[in-house]
Amino acid sequence: MPPRRLPRRLGLSGKLLLLTIPLVMIAGVLMYVPAIANFWTNRLNDRLAAANTAALVLDAAPLGMVPDSLARQILTSIQARAVAIKMGQQRRLLASADLPASIDHDIDVRNMTVWQAITGSFEMMFETGHEVIRIIGPASGDAQFIEVVTDERPLRQAMFRFSRNLLVVSLVIAILTAALVYLALHFLFVRPMRRLTASLMDFHENPESSARIIVPSQRGDEIGVAERELSDMQRDLVSMLHQKSRLAALGLAVSKINHDLRNLLASAQLISDQLASVPDPRVQRFAPKLVRSLERAIAFCQSTLSYGRAQEAAPDRRMVPIEPIVVEVRETAGLANDASISWITAIERGLTADADPDQLFRVMLNLVRNAAQALESNPNSDRSSMQIRVSGRREGAVTILEVSDTGPGVPQKTREHLFEAFQTSGRPGGSGLGLAIAAELVRAHDGDIQLVEGTIGATFRIVIPDRPVELLSIRTERQRA
Protein backbone atom coordinates (compact mmCIF):
# COMPACT_ATOMS: atom_id res chain seq x y z
CA MET A 1 0.00 0.00 0.00
CA PRO A 2 1.51 3.37 -0.98
CA PRO A 3 2.08 5.82 1.88
CA ARG A 4 -0.81 8.14 2.51
CA ARG A 5 -0.10 11.87 2.50
CA LEU A 6 -1.96 14.83 3.82
CA PRO A 7 -4.17 16.46 1.16
CA ARG A 8 -2.68 19.53 -0.54
CA ARG A 9 -5.02 22.13 0.80
CA LEU A 10 -5.07 24.76 3.49
CA GLY A 11 -3.76 23.01 6.58
CA LEU A 12 -3.97 23.83 10.24
CA SER A 13 -0.99 26.21 10.04
CA GLY A 14 -2.56 28.20 7.21
CA LYS A 15 -5.88 28.40 8.98
CA LEU A 16 -4.11 29.52 12.13
CA LEU A 17 -2.29 32.26 10.21
CA LEU A 18 -5.48 33.46 8.51
CA LEU A 19 -7.19 33.54 11.88
CA THR A 20 -4.36 35.34 13.68
CA ILE A 21 -3.99 38.22 11.18
CA PRO A 22 -7.61 39.48 11.27
CA LEU A 23 -7.77 39.10 15.04
CA VAL A 24 -4.68 41.26 15.46
CA MET A 25 -6.11 43.78 12.98
CA ILE A 26 -9.38 43.90 14.90
CA ALA A 27 -7.40 44.49 18.08
CA GLY A 28 -5.57 47.35 16.33
CA VAL A 29 -8.87 48.93 15.23
CA LEU A 30 -10.24 48.65 18.75
CA MET A 31 -7.11 50.41 20.00
CA TYR A 32 -7.30 53.13 17.31
CA VAL A 33 -10.84 54.26 18.14
CA PRO A 34 -10.17 55.44 21.72
CA ALA A 35 -6.69 56.68 20.69
CA ILE A 36 -7.99 59.08 18.03
CA ALA A 37 -10.80 60.25 20.30
CA ASN A 38 -8.28 60.93 23.08
CA PHE A 39 -6.00 62.79 20.63
CA TRP A 40 -8.91 64.97 19.48
CA THR A 41 -10.01 65.91 22.98
CA ASN A 42 -6.41 66.63 24.00
CA ARG A 43 -5.99 68.99 21.05
CA LEU A 44 -9.20 70.78 21.95
CA ASN A 45 -8.05 71.12 25.54
CA ASP A 46 -4.67 72.37 24.35
CA ARG A 47 -6.41 75.11 22.36
CA LEU A 48 -8.46 76.03 25.42
CA ALA A 49 -5.36 76.09 27.65
CA ALA A 50 -3.55 78.34 25.19
CA ALA A 51 -6.65 80.54 24.97
CA ASN A 52 -6.77 80.82 28.77
CA THR A 53 -3.15 81.95 28.79
CA ALA A 54 -3.83 84.47 26.05
CA ALA A 55 -6.92 85.67 27.92
CA LEU A 56 -4.77 86.43 30.97
CA VAL A 57 -2.40 88.48 28.82
CA LEU A 58 -5.19 90.32 27.04
CA ASP A 59 -7.16 90.94 30.22
CA ALA A 60 -4.07 92.33 31.98
CA ALA A 61 -3.64 95.14 29.45
CA PRO A 62 -4.51 98.63 30.83
CA LEU A 63 -8.15 99.39 30.16
CA GLY A 64 -8.20 96.36 27.83
CA MET A 65 -6.38 98.34 25.17
CA VAL A 66 -4.26 95.89 23.15
CA PRO A 67 -2.75 96.87 19.81
CA ASP A 68 -4.21 95.04 16.88
CA SER A 69 -0.80 93.80 15.80
CA LEU A 70 -0.18 92.22 19.22
CA ALA A 71 -3.66 90.72 19.30
CA ARG A 72 -3.07 89.16 15.88
CA GLN A 73 0.27 87.74 17.01
CA ILE A 74 -1.35 86.22 20.09
CA LEU A 75 -4.21 84.71 18.07
CA THR A 76 -1.77 83.36 15.47
CA SER A 77 0.34 81.72 18.20
CA ILE A 78 -2.66 79.88 19.58
CA GLN A 79 -4.12 79.18 16.08
CA ALA A 80 -7.37 81.02 16.84
CA ARG A 81 -9.46 83.71 15.17
CA ALA A 82 -11.14 85.02 18.31
CA VAL A 83 -11.10 84.57 22.08
CA ALA A 84 -14.02 85.48 24.30
CA ILE A 85 -14.96 84.90 27.91
CA LYS A 86 -18.19 85.11 29.85
CA MET A 87 -18.29 86.67 33.26
CA GLY A 88 -21.63 86.85 34.97
CA GLN A 89 -24.26 87.91 32.44
CA GLN A 90 -21.77 89.55 30.12
CA ARG A 91 -19.76 88.02 27.29
CA ARG A 92 -16.52 89.83 26.49
CA LEU A 93 -14.56 89.53 23.25
CA LEU A 94 -10.88 89.75 24.19
CA ALA A 95 -9.41 89.58 20.67
CA SER A 96 -10.50 88.80 17.15
CA ALA A 97 -9.10 88.65 13.63
CA ASP A 98 -10.77 87.66 10.41
CA LEU A 99 -14.00 86.54 12.03
CA PRO A 100 -16.24 84.61 9.64
CA ALA A 101 -19.85 85.48 9.02
CA SER A 102 -21.05 82.32 10.78
CA ILE A 103 -19.74 79.47 12.93
CA ASP A 104 -20.15 75.97 11.44
CA HIS A 105 -19.89 73.88 14.63
CA ASP A 106 -19.87 74.35 18.38
CA ILE A 107 -17.87 71.92 20.52
CA ASP A 108 -18.44 72.05 24.26
CA VAL A 109 -15.80 70.04 26.14
CA ARG A 110 -17.13 70.79 29.61
CA ASN A 111 -19.51 67.80 29.84
CA MET A 112 -18.31 65.69 26.90
CA THR A 113 -18.85 61.92 27.25
CA VAL A 114 -16.64 59.19 25.81
CA TRP A 115 -19.16 58.38 23.10
CA GLN A 116 -19.44 62.07 22.13
CA ALA A 117 -15.65 62.27 21.92
CA ILE A 118 -15.51 59.22 19.60
CA THR A 119 -18.30 60.39 17.30
CA GLY A 120 -17.04 63.99 17.28
CA SER A 121 -13.50 62.97 16.32
CA PHE A 122 -14.68 60.83 13.39
CA GLU A 123 -17.13 63.49 12.22
CA MET A 124 -14.28 65.99 12.05
CA MET A 125 -12.02 63.57 10.15
CA PHE A 126 -14.67 62.78 7.53
CA GLU A 127 -15.62 66.44 6.91
CA THR A 128 -14.25 68.42 3.99
CA GLY A 129 -13.80 72.12 3.38
CA HIS A 130 -12.67 74.96 5.63
CA GLU A 131 -15.18 74.95 8.45
CA VAL A 132 -14.84 77.23 11.43
CA ILE A 133 -15.57 75.80 14.86
CA ARG A 134 -16.10 77.31 18.27
CA ILE A 135 -14.59 75.49 21.24
CA ILE A 136 -16.21 76.11 24.60
CA GLY A 137 -14.49 75.08 27.80
CA PRO A 138 -13.81 76.01 31.42
CA ALA A 139 -12.03 79.32 32.05
CA SER A 140 -9.56 80.35 34.72
CA GLY A 141 -10.30 82.96 37.32
CA ASP A 142 -13.80 84.27 37.86
CA ALA A 143 -14.97 83.66 34.29
CA GLN A 144 -17.69 81.05 33.72
CA PHE A 145 -16.28 79.72 30.42
CA ILE A 146 -14.04 80.63 27.55
CA GLU A 147 -14.73 80.46 23.83
CA VAL A 148 -12.16 79.95 21.11
CA VAL A 149 -13.01 80.36 17.44
CA THR A 150 -10.58 78.45 15.24
CA ASP A 151 -10.24 76.74 11.88
CA GLU A 152 -11.07 73.06 11.72
CA ARG A 153 -8.63 72.15 8.93
CA PRO A 154 -5.33 72.34 10.96
CA LEU A 155 -6.87 70.12 13.64
CA ARG A 156 -8.07 67.64 11.03
CA GLN A 157 -4.64 67.53 9.42
CA ALA A 158 -3.04 66.85 12.80
CA MET A 159 -5.51 64.01 13.31
CA PHE A 160 -4.57 62.50 9.93
CA ARG A 161 -0.87 62.70 10.78
CA PHE A 162 -1.53 61.03 14.11
CA SER A 163 -3.60 58.33 12.38
CA ARG A 164 -0.86 57.70 9.85
CA ASN A 165 1.83 57.39 12.52
CA LEU A 166 -0.42 55.20 14.64
CA LEU A 167 -1.20 53.00 11.64
CA VAL A 168 2.49 52.43 10.91
CA VAL A 169 3.25 51.58 14.52
CA SER A 170 0.15 49.36 14.74
CA LEU A 171 1.12 47.50 11.57
CA VAL A 172 4.60 46.81 12.91
CA ILE A 173 3.20 45.67 16.25
CA ALA A 174 0.51 43.62 14.53
CA ILE A 175 3.02 41.86 12.29
CA LEU A 176 5.32 41.09 15.18
CA THR A 177 2.43 39.99 17.38
CA ALA A 178 0.91 37.83 14.65
CA ALA A 179 4.28 36.24 13.95
CA LEU A 180 4.95 35.53 17.63
CA VAL A 181 1.45 34.18 18.21
CA TYR A 182 1.64 32.06 15.08
CA LEU A 183 5.05 30.63 15.97
CA ALA A 184 4.00 29.96 19.56
CA LEU A 185 0.79 28.20 18.53
CA HIS A 186 2.60 26.37 15.73
CA PHE A 187 5.23 24.88 18.02
CA LEU A 188 2.86 24.30 20.96
CA PHE A 189 -0.14 22.85 19.13
CA VAL A 190 0.22 22.49 15.34
CA ARG A 191 3.42 20.42 15.33
CA PRO A 192 2.15 17.99 18.03
CA MET A 193 -1.14 17.65 16.12
CA ARG A 194 0.79 16.90 12.93
CA ARG A 195 2.74 14.28 14.85
CA LEU A 196 -0.49 12.70 16.08
CA THR A 197 -1.94 12.77 12.56
CA ALA A 198 1.18 11.24 11.03
CA SER A 199 1.16 8.50 13.68
CA LEU A 200 -2.47 7.69 12.97
CA MET A 201 -1.82 7.49 9.23
CA ASP A 202 1.28 5.30 9.69
CA PHE A 203 -0.56 3.04 12.10
CA HIS A 204 -3.46 2.73 9.66
CA GLU A 205 -1.08 1.38 7.01
CA ASN A 206 0.05 -1.50 9.25
CA PRO A 207 -1.96 -1.77 12.48
CA GLU A 208 -0.27 -5.04 13.46
CA SER A 209 3.21 -3.50 13.66
CA SER A 210 4.27 -2.45 17.12
CA ALA A 211 6.91 -0.18 15.54
CA ARG A 212 4.12 2.15 14.37
CA ILE A 213 3.00 2.88 17.94
CA ILE A 214 3.51 6.53 18.88
CA VAL A 215 6.00 7.33 21.63
CA PRO A 216 4.23 9.80 23.95
CA SER A 217 6.02 12.94 25.06
CA GLN A 218 6.35 14.22 28.60
CA ARG A 219 3.76 16.98 28.15
CA GLY A 220 1.26 17.36 30.96
CA ASP A 221 -1.47 19.17 29.01
CA GLU A 222 -4.33 17.80 26.91
CA ILE A 223 -2.05 17.01 23.96
CA GLY A 224 0.19 14.95 26.22
CA VAL A 225 -2.87 13.09 27.51
CA ALA A 226 -4.02 12.52 23.91
CA GLU A 227 -0.58 11.11 23.00
CA ARG A 228 -0.56 8.73 25.96
CA GLU A 229 -4.14 7.59 25.33
CA LEU A 230 -3.36 7.08 21.63
CA SER A 231 -0.28 5.04 22.53
CA ASP A 232 -2.29 2.87 24.94
CA MET A 233 -5.06 2.42 22.37
CA GLN A 234 -2.58 1.42 19.67
CA ARG A 235 -0.90 -1.08 22.00
CA ASP A 236 -4.26 -2.60 22.93
CA LEU A 237 -5.24 -2.78 19.27
CA VAL A 238 -1.97 -4.44 18.29
CA SER A 239 -2.42 -6.98 21.07
CA MET A 240 -6.02 -7.59 20.03
CA LEU A 241 -5.05 -8.08 16.38
CA HIS A 242 -2.34 -10.53 17.40
CA GLN A 243 -4.91 -12.46 19.43
CA LYS A 244 -7.33 -12.41 16.50
CA SER A 245 -4.63 -13.76 14.20
CA ARG A 246 -3.81 -16.43 16.72
CA LEU A 247 -7.46 -17.34 17.05
CA ALA A 248 -7.83 -17.56 13.28
CA ALA A 249 -4.78 -19.81 12.99
CA LEU A 250 -5.99 -21.87 15.94
CA GLY A 251 -9.45 -22.20 14.41
CA LEU A 252 -8.02 -23.45 11.16
CA ALA A 253 -5.78 -25.92 12.95
CA VAL A 254 -8.63 -27.13 15.18
CA SER A 255 -10.87 -27.64 12.17
CA LYS A 256 -8.22 -29.76 10.47
CA ILE A 257 -7.53 -31.78 13.60
CA ASN A 258 -11.20 -32.28 14.38
CA HIS A 259 -11.87 -33.52 10.87
CA ASP A 260 -9.49 -36.45 11.34
CA LEU A 261 -10.19 -36.84 15.05
CA ARG A 262 -13.90 -37.27 14.42
CA ASN A 263 -13.16 -40.21 12.13
CA LEU A 264 -10.87 -41.81 14.71
CA LEU A 265 -13.46 -41.34 17.45
CA ALA A 266 -16.13 -42.83 15.25
CA SER A 267 -13.99 -45.96 14.86
CA ALA A 268 -13.41 -46.03 18.63
CA GLN A 269 -17.17 -45.74 19.16
CA LEU A 270 -17.79 -48.82 16.99
CA ILE A 271 -15.27 -50.79 19.06
CA SER A 272 -16.83 -49.57 22.32
CA ASP A 273 -20.26 -50.68 21.10
CA GLN A 274 -18.86 -54.18 20.60
CA LEU A 275 -17.14 -53.96 23.98
CA ALA A 276 -20.49 -53.21 25.63
CA SER A 277 -21.71 -56.67 24.62
CA VAL A 278 -18.98 -58.41 26.64
CA PRO A 279 -20.65 -60.05 29.71
CA ASP A 280 -17.78 -59.21 32.07
CA PRO A 281 -19.19 -57.22 35.07
CA ARG A 282 -16.25 -54.83 35.14
CA VAL A 283 -16.63 -54.19 31.43
CA GLN A 284 -20.37 -53.64 31.87
CA ARG A 285 -19.57 -51.14 34.61
CA PHE A 286 -17.16 -48.96 32.63
CA ALA A 287 -18.38 -49.47 29.06
CA PRO A 288 -21.38 -47.07 29.32
CA LYS A 289 -19.11 -44.34 30.65
CA LEU A 290 -16.66 -44.95 27.82
CA VAL A 291 -19.47 -44.83 25.27
CA ARG A 292 -20.79 -41.63 26.82
CA SER A 293 -17.35 -40.00 26.74
CA LEU A 294 -16.87 -40.94 23.10
CA GLU A 295 -20.29 -39.56 22.23
CA ARG A 296 -19.40 -36.26 23.89
CA ALA A 297 -16.08 -36.11 22.06
CA ILE A 298 -17.73 -36.79 18.71
CA ALA A 299 -20.40 -34.17 19.44
CA PHE A 300 -17.71 -31.58 20.28
CA CYS A 301 -15.83 -32.32 17.08
CA GLN A 302 -18.99 -32.11 15.04
CA SER A 303 -20.02 -28.80 16.60
CA THR A 304 -16.56 -27.36 15.89
CA LEU A 305 -16.79 -28.34 12.25
CA SER A 306 -20.42 -27.26 11.88
CA TYR A 307 -20.45 -23.59 12.85
CA GLY A 308 -16.75 -22.54 12.73
CA ARG A 309 -17.20 -19.56 15.07
CA ALA A 310 -16.32 -18.77 18.68
CA GLN A 311 -19.85 -19.15 20.00
CA GLU A 312 -21.42 -22.00 21.93
CA ALA A 313 -24.78 -23.48 21.08
CA ALA A 314 -27.77 -22.43 23.18
CA PRO A 315 -28.12 -24.61 26.30
CA ASP A 316 -30.80 -27.29 26.43
CA ARG A 317 -31.90 -26.53 29.98
CA ARG A 318 -33.78 -28.83 32.30
CA MET A 319 -33.71 -29.73 35.97
CA VAL A 320 -30.72 -32.06 36.39
CA PRO A 321 -29.23 -33.58 39.58
CA ILE A 322 -25.79 -32.29 40.52
CA GLU A 323 -24.28 -35.32 42.31
CA PRO A 324 -24.07 -37.63 39.24
CA ILE A 325 -22.43 -34.84 37.24
CA VAL A 326 -19.83 -34.28 39.99
CA VAL A 327 -19.08 -38.02 40.20
CA GLU A 328 -18.63 -38.20 36.43
CA VAL A 329 -16.40 -35.12 36.47
CA ARG A 330 -14.15 -36.74 39.09
CA GLU A 331 -13.84 -39.94 37.12
CA THR A 332 -13.24 -38.14 33.81
CA ALA A 333 -10.54 -35.95 35.38
CA GLY A 334 -8.78 -39.11 36.63
CA LEU A 335 -9.11 -38.19 40.29
CA ALA A 336 -11.20 -41.18 41.38
CA ASN A 337 -8.10 -43.35 41.83
CA ASP A 338 -5.60 -40.55 42.53
CA ALA A 339 -4.56 -40.90 46.15
CA SER A 340 -2.25 -37.85 46.08
CA ILE A 341 -5.16 -35.37 45.81
CA SER A 342 -7.94 -35.51 48.37
CA TRP A 343 -11.48 -35.13 47.02
CA ILE A 344 -14.18 -33.64 49.20
CA THR A 345 -17.79 -33.32 48.15
CA ALA A 346 -20.22 -31.13 50.12
CA ILE A 347 -23.41 -31.05 48.06
CA GLU A 348 -26.88 -30.75 49.46
CA ARG A 349 -28.88 -33.96 49.16
CA GLY A 350 -31.06 -33.93 46.06
CA LEU A 351 -29.56 -30.68 44.75
CA THR A 352 -30.68 -29.88 41.21
CA ALA A 353 -29.95 -27.09 38.75
CA ASP A 354 -31.87 -25.72 35.79
CA ALA A 355 -29.07 -26.25 33.27
CA ASP A 356 -27.82 -28.12 30.25
CA PRO A 357 -26.17 -31.27 31.71
CA ASP A 358 -23.47 -31.51 29.04
CA GLN A 359 -22.50 -27.85 29.31
CA LEU A 360 -22.56 -27.94 33.12
CA PHE A 361 -20.33 -31.03 32.92
CA ARG A 362 -17.86 -29.10 30.74
CA VAL A 363 -17.83 -26.17 33.16
CA MET A 364 -17.16 -28.35 36.19
CA LEU A 365 -14.57 -30.43 34.32
CA ASN A 366 -12.59 -27.33 33.28
CA LEU A 367 -12.54 -25.99 36.83
CA VAL A 368 -11.57 -29.34 38.36
CA ARG A 369 -8.80 -29.90 35.82
CA ASN A 370 -7.43 -26.41 36.46
CA ALA A 371 -7.45 -27.09 40.20
CA ALA A 372 -5.66 -30.45 39.76
CA GLN A 373 -3.05 -28.93 37.45
CA ALA A 374 -2.45 -26.07 39.91
CA LEU A 375 -1.85 -28.55 42.72
CA GLU A 376 0.43 -30.79 40.67
CA SER A 377 2.49 -27.89 39.26
CA ASN A 378 3.15 -26.31 42.67
CA PRO A 379 6.64 -27.45 43.73
CA ASN A 380 6.20 -26.19 47.30
CA SER A 381 2.95 -28.01 48.02
CA ASP A 382 2.74 -30.74 50.63
CA ARG A 383 1.23 -33.92 49.20
CA SER A 384 -0.78 -34.46 52.33
CA SER A 385 -2.47 -31.03 52.01
CA MET A 386 -3.41 -31.26 48.29
CA GLN A 387 -7.18 -31.06 48.23
CA ILE A 388 -10.04 -30.29 45.86
CA ARG A 389 -13.42 -29.44 47.31
CA VAL A 390 -16.71 -29.31 45.38
CA SER A 391 -19.69 -27.87 47.23
CA GLY A 392 -23.20 -27.01 46.18
CA ARG A 393 -26.28 -25.50 47.73
CA ARG A 394 -29.51 -23.86 46.73
CA GLU A 395 -30.67 -20.39 47.71
CA GLY A 396 -34.24 -19.87 46.58
CA ALA A 397 -34.34 -20.12 42.79
CA VAL A 398 -30.55 -20.05 42.46
CA THR A 399 -28.09 -22.94 42.44
CA ILE A 400 -24.61 -22.14 43.76
CA LEU A 401 -21.64 -24.41 43.05
CA GLU A 402 -18.08 -23.88 44.27
CA VAL A 403 -14.83 -25.55 43.21
CA SER A 404 -11.86 -24.81 45.46
CA ASP A 405 -8.34 -26.11 45.89
CA THR A 406 -5.43 -25.63 48.27
CA GLY A 407 -2.97 -24.63 45.55
CA PRO A 408 -0.98 -21.40 45.16
CA GLY A 409 -4.01 -19.41 44.01
CA VAL A 410 -4.43 -17.11 41.01
CA PRO A 411 -1.58 -14.61 40.39
CA GLN A 412 -2.60 -10.99 40.83
CA LYS A 413 -1.46 -9.96 37.34
CA THR A 414 -3.83 -12.45 35.65
CA ARG A 415 -6.96 -11.58 37.61
CA GLU A 416 -7.92 -8.63 35.38
CA HIS A 417 -8.16 -10.94 32.32
CA LEU A 418 -9.10 -14.10 34.19
CA PHE A 419 -11.95 -15.19 31.92
CA GLU A 420 -10.44 -14.04 28.60
CA ALA A 421 -9.01 -16.44 26.04
CA PHE A 422 -5.22 -16.96 25.95
CA GLN A 423 -4.70 -14.85 29.05
CA THR A 424 -4.59 -17.19 32.06
CA SER A 425 -2.57 -20.20 31.02
CA GLY A 426 0.58 -20.32 33.10
CA ARG A 427 1.67 -23.91 32.45
CA PRO A 428 3.53 -25.38 29.46
CA GLY A 429 1.15 -26.70 26.82
CA GLY A 430 -1.84 -24.85 28.23
CA SER A 431 -4.17 -23.07 25.83
CA GLY A 432 -5.66 -20.52 28.21
CA LEU A 433 -9.19 -21.44 27.06
CA GLY A 434 -10.58 -23.39 30.04
CA LEU A 435 -11.87 -20.47 32.10
CA ALA A 436 -12.98 -18.58 28.98
CA ILE A 437 -15.10 -21.56 27.87
CA ALA A 438 -16.50 -22.01 31.39
CA ALA A 439 -17.45 -18.33 31.62
CA GLU A 440 -19.16 -18.40 28.22
CA LEU A 441 -21.21 -21.48 29.12
CA VAL A 442 -22.26 -20.02 32.48
CA ARG A 443 -23.27 -16.71 30.89
CA ALA A 444 -25.38 -18.67 28.39
CA HIS A 445 -27.40 -19.85 31.41
CA ASP A 446 -27.85 -16.20 32.57
CA GLY A 447 -25.52 -17.08 35.42
CA ASP A 448 -22.27 -15.77 36.80
CA ILE A 449 -18.83 -17.18 37.56
CA GLN A 450 -16.26 -15.40 39.66
CA LEU A 451 -13.13 -15.89 41.72
CA VAL A 452 -13.85 -15.73 45.43
CA GLU A 453 -11.40 -13.49 47.26
CA GLY A 454 -9.79 -14.24 50.60
CA THR A 455 -9.65 -18.04 50.37
CA ILE A 456 -6.80 -20.53 50.57
CA GLY A 457 -5.78 -21.44 47.04
CA ALA A 458 -8.40 -20.62 44.44
CA THR A 459 -12.17 -20.84 44.80
CA PHE A 460 -14.50 -20.38 41.82
CA ARG A 461 -18.19 -19.78 42.45
CA ILE A 462 -20.83 -20.62 39.86
CA VAL A 463 -24.31 -19.10 40.17
CA ILE A 464 -27.05 -20.50 37.92
CA PRO A 465 -30.56 -19.08 38.35
CA ASP A 466 -33.69 -20.98 37.40
CA ARG A 467 -35.57 -19.81 34.36
CA PRO A 468 -38.59 -17.57 35.02
CA VAL A 469 -41.79 -19.53 35.31
CA GLU A 470 -44.57 -18.64 32.86
CA LEU A 471 -47.84 -19.00 34.75
CA LEU A 472 -49.89 -19.15 31.57
CA SER A 473 -48.00 -22.17 30.25
CA ILE A 474 -48.28 -23.96 33.62
CA ARG A 475 -52.03 -23.34 33.75
CA THR A 476 -52.37 -24.64 30.20
CA GLU A 477 -50.45 -27.82 31.04
CA ARG A 478 -52.59 -28.37 34.12
CA GLN A 479 -55.77 -27.93 32.13
CA ARG A 480 -54.54 -30.43 29.57
CA ALA A 481 -53.67 -32.89 32.35
Side-chain angles (χ1 to χ4, degrees), residues 251-473:
L252 179 60
V254 168
S255 297
K256 293 178 179 179
I257 294 172
N258 272 301
H259 182 271
D260 296 333
L261 182 61
R262 182 187 59 176
N263 297 331
L264 296 175
L265 291 174
S267 300
Q269 187 180 29
L270 294 176
I271 298 174
S272 65
D273 291 339
Q274 297 177 3
L275 187 63
S277 61
V278 176
D280 190 321
R282 295 183 62 187
V283 173
Q284 292 296 325
R285 177 185 174 188
F286 292 106
K289 297 179 180 179
L290 177 60
V291 172
R292 182 59 178 161
S293 298
L294 290 173
E295 289 177 351
R296 282 201 183 100
I298 293 174
F300 294 160
C301 293
Q302 183 62 38
S303 62
T304 303
L305 294 173
S306 62
Y307 51 75
R309 59 188 179 187
Q311 182 178 0
E312 296 288 343
D316 182 15
R317 303 182 65 171
R318 57 184 180 273
M319 299 301 297
V320 294
I322 299 299
E323 290 185 2
I325 295 179
V326 174
V327 172
E328 190 174 3
V329 166
R330 183 185 180 188
E331 294 177 350
T332 305
L335 299 176
N337 299 320
D338 190 353
S340 62
I341 299 178
S342 301
W343 180 274
I344 299 177
T345 304
I347 299 176
E348 292 181 356
R349 181 175 299 179
L351 179 64
T352 59
D354 186 9
D356 185 319
D358 291 336
Q359 293 188 2
L360 184 59
F361 171 83
R362 292 173 60 188
V363 173
M364 299 294 293
L365 182 61
N366 281 322
L367 295 179
V368 169
R369 279 181 174 171
N370 284 347
Q373 291 165 0
L375 292 172
E376 294 172 353
S377 62
N378 186 17
N380 300 323
S381 63
D382 186 5
R383 294 294 178 181
S384 61
S385 63
M386 295 171 58
Q387 182 184 105
I388 295 178
R389 174 187 172 91
V390 179
S391 61
R393 65 185 185 276
R394 192 167 184 85
E395 296 181 0
V398 176
T399 302
I400 300 176
L401 303 175
E402 292 184 353
V403 178
S404 58
D405 60 71
T406 57
V410 180
Q412 186 65 35
K413 63 180 182 179
T414 63
R415 296 192 178 190
E416 296 181 359
H417 307 282
L418 189 59
F419 298 103
E420 297 180 12
F422 309 118
Q423 297 289 335
T424 59
S425 178
R427 58 184 177 83
S431 62
L433 289 172
L435 291 178
I437 294 174
E440 183 178 353
L441 295 175
V442 172
R443 286 194 295 267
H445 288 77
D446 297 327
D448 181 52
I449 181 173
Q450 60 182 349
L451 177 67
V452 180
E453 302 289 344
T455 61
I456 299 176
T459 299
F460 288 91
R461 179 177 296 162
I462 304 170
V463 178
I464 300 179
D466 295 344
R467 288 170 295 176
V469 179
E470 297 183 3
L471 297 178
L472 182 59
S473 61

Side-chain angles (χ1 to χ4, degrees), residues 190-201:
V190 177
R191 289 186 62 183
M193 290 301 297
R194 284 182 175 177
R195 181 169 176 263
L196 286 173
T197 305
S199 176
L200 287 172
M201 296 174 66

